[in-house]
Amino acid sequence: MIKNDLFLKALKGETVDRPPVWMMRQAGRYLPEFRALREKYDFFTRCQTPELASEITVQPIRRFGMDAAILFSDILVIPQAMNIEVQMKPDFGPYLPSPIRDQKDLDAVAVPDVSEALGYVMDAIRMTKEKLEDTIPLIGFAGSPWTILCYCVQGQGSKSFDLARGFCFTQPKAAHELLQKITDTTIAYLKEKVKAGCNAIQVFDSWGGMLSPTDYQEFSLQYMKQITEALKEEAPVILFGKGCWFALGEMAKTGASALGVDWTCSPRNARYLSGGQITLQGNFDPSRLLSPPSEIKKRVHQMIDGFGKDNYIVNLGHGILPNIPLENAGAFIEAVKEYKAR
Ligand code: CP3
């Protein structure tokens, strides 16, 4: 039994006194204790060493007391396990020196035995669960197949992922083969994560908003649907699509327990588009955490009033930024704990 089960209750649609709160990318660069470890260990060493990954996961919890922890890792451990080299370059971000551009590149992509290739993630989960001592739930995550394809084809971050979209539209057969390989690996990976102790799963479709609504169905949603269907009996699934407000209605029909919303969609519109029933998560503008703490608190309360306290998980509309003052991050969490329904 988990002592603070507000987050799991919200995922089930149960009534709560106040909504639960966590922040996407809460284990990260805005924390001095995280930056101290970053001085000593490179990115993938931090991911691959269970002592480090579990420590980084609990750092924000110790400081701010969120209602859920999210395992420190990265969405790009999946392509890495599939035989695609991924580097994390300081001040640049992900870099894949041999991107997938044609059928020949694709033939070298493997669907690995995840317990072997990603066993270190499972060890990190078990160690994190020990550290959390059943105080709060632990979220495991993966990138959506489309978002992973973006990096595999583009070879690095991008404002438009034009090469990734071009690959889908000029070589659709190869694109679907890659998406299916990623989907199969992701399903096996997430099932292992739940077995290792994760209490819920979030799928990040960070670049879903790059696709037109029609292409979104073909190149992203159908694969997220496969993942949700395969996982939903084992753990609640949250689907977060950045810029994907147009798909909230379809996403609500996948069997997911909750949908993430970014800050460009109003609470009212998100409720309307998702059909009014499903639990929603979001959607504070990450840059709004630069406002003074009193302003943050006021706007968080307005946001909760907008979504309603039930069927709702307070979060940002995307990951926390590295330049957010600690006091402001703290004000965001405190505002939720102080919330009283009006
Ligand atoms: O939420 C958490 O606190 C857990 C940690 C987490 C990381 N990456 C650690 C990380 C999570 C959930 C992710 C997911 C992730 N990774 C996404 C989806 C979420 C999103 O923000 O859209 C994406 C697109 C990536 C790919 C990625 N990893 C990029 C683009 C970068 C570089 C730019 C950036 O945002 O930092 C990374 C590196 C990365 N992943 C860092 C961290 C803390 C920073 C680098 C470092 O620590 O050295």
Side-chain angles (χ1 to χ4, degrees), residues 22-30 34 38 41-44 46-47 56-57 60 70-76 88-94 141-143 147-148 151 156-157 161 202 204-207 240 242 318-320 322:
W22 67 284
M23 294 188 292
M24 288 191 274
R25 310 287 293 262
Q26 65 192 18
R29 293 159 299 172
Y30 69 109
F34 175 87
R38 194 171 58 162
Y41 307 98
D42 71 39
F43 183 73
F44 284 113
R46 276 175 275 145
C47 290
I56 294 171
T57 303
I70 178 161
L71 186 74
F72 176 76
S73 184
D74 200 86
I75 61 170
L76 298 174
M88 194 60 74
K89 290 194 177 182
D91 303 322
F92 179 82
F141 68 90
T147 290
I148 299 297
Y151 288 99
Q156 60 184 63
F161 287 99
Q202 175 155 323
F204 285 89
D205 195 8
S206 304
W207 307 123
F240 167 70
K242 176 147 186 301
H318 199 192
I320 187 166

Side-chain angles (χ1 to χ4, degrees), residues 187-259:
I187 289 173
Y189 173 60
L190 292 177
K191 284 192 171 184
E192 283 296 308
K193 281 177 121 162
V194 174
K195 263 195 227 153
C198 287
N199 305 98
I201 291 298
Q202 175 155 323
V203 181
F204 285 89
D205 195 8
S206 304
W207 307 123
M210 297 280 167
L211 292 166
S212 73
T214 310
D215 288 324
Y216 189 76
Q217 302 281 332
E218 178 175 350
F219 294 101
S220 187
L221 188 66
Q222 61 160 316
Y223 296 99
M224 292 211 289
K225 209 171 184 172
Q226 285 185 42
I227 294 171
T228 308
E229 272 167 13
L231 262 297
K232 68 178 187 197
E233 304 301 328
E234 292 168 50
V237 177
I238 306 168
L239 299 179
F240 167 70
K242 176 147 186 301
C244 298
W245 56 269
F246 58 82
L248 285 172
E250 315 269 359
M251 286 161 114
K253 294 182 202 138
T254 56
S257 293
L259 304 179

Side-chain angles (χ1 to χ4, degrees), residues 266-317:
S266 67
R268 188 188 160 98
N269 219 357
R271 284 279 176 222
Y272 172 74
L273 292 167
S274 62
Q277 288 300 314
I278 192 164
T279 295
L280 296 176
Q281 173 179 280
N283 70 344
F284 208 69
D285 177 352
S287 294
R288 261 289 167 203
L289 288 185
L290 291 167
S291 291
S294 57
E295 184 70 24
I296 292 172
K297 288 193 173 181
K298 192 176 99 197
R299 286 177 185 264
V300 168
H301 291 166
Q302 284 168 352
M303 177 173 77
I304 301 173
D305 288 337
F307 280 100
K309 76 168 172 67
D310 292 315
N311 302 316
Y312 177 48
I313 297 162
V314 180
N315 206 316
L316 305 174

Side-chain angles (χ1 to χ4, degrees), residues 39-88:
E39 297 294 305
K40 289 200 223 149
Y41 307 98
D42 71 39
F43 183 73
F44 284 113
T45 302
R46 276 175 275 145
C47 290
Q48 289 163 6
T49 311
E51 289 78 8
L52 293 174
S54 59
E55 167 62 20
I56 294 171
T57 303
V58 300
Q59 280 177 346
I61 312 302
R62 275 193 210 117
R63 199 181 259 280
F64 299 118
M66 290 89 169
D67 297 306
I70 178 161
L71 186 74
F72 176 76
S73 184
D74 200 86
I75 61 170
L76 298 174
V77 301
I78 285 286
Q80 217 171 34
M82 295 174 76
N83 210 18
I84 302 170
E85 187 183 346
V86 182
Q87 301 168 4
M88 194 60 74

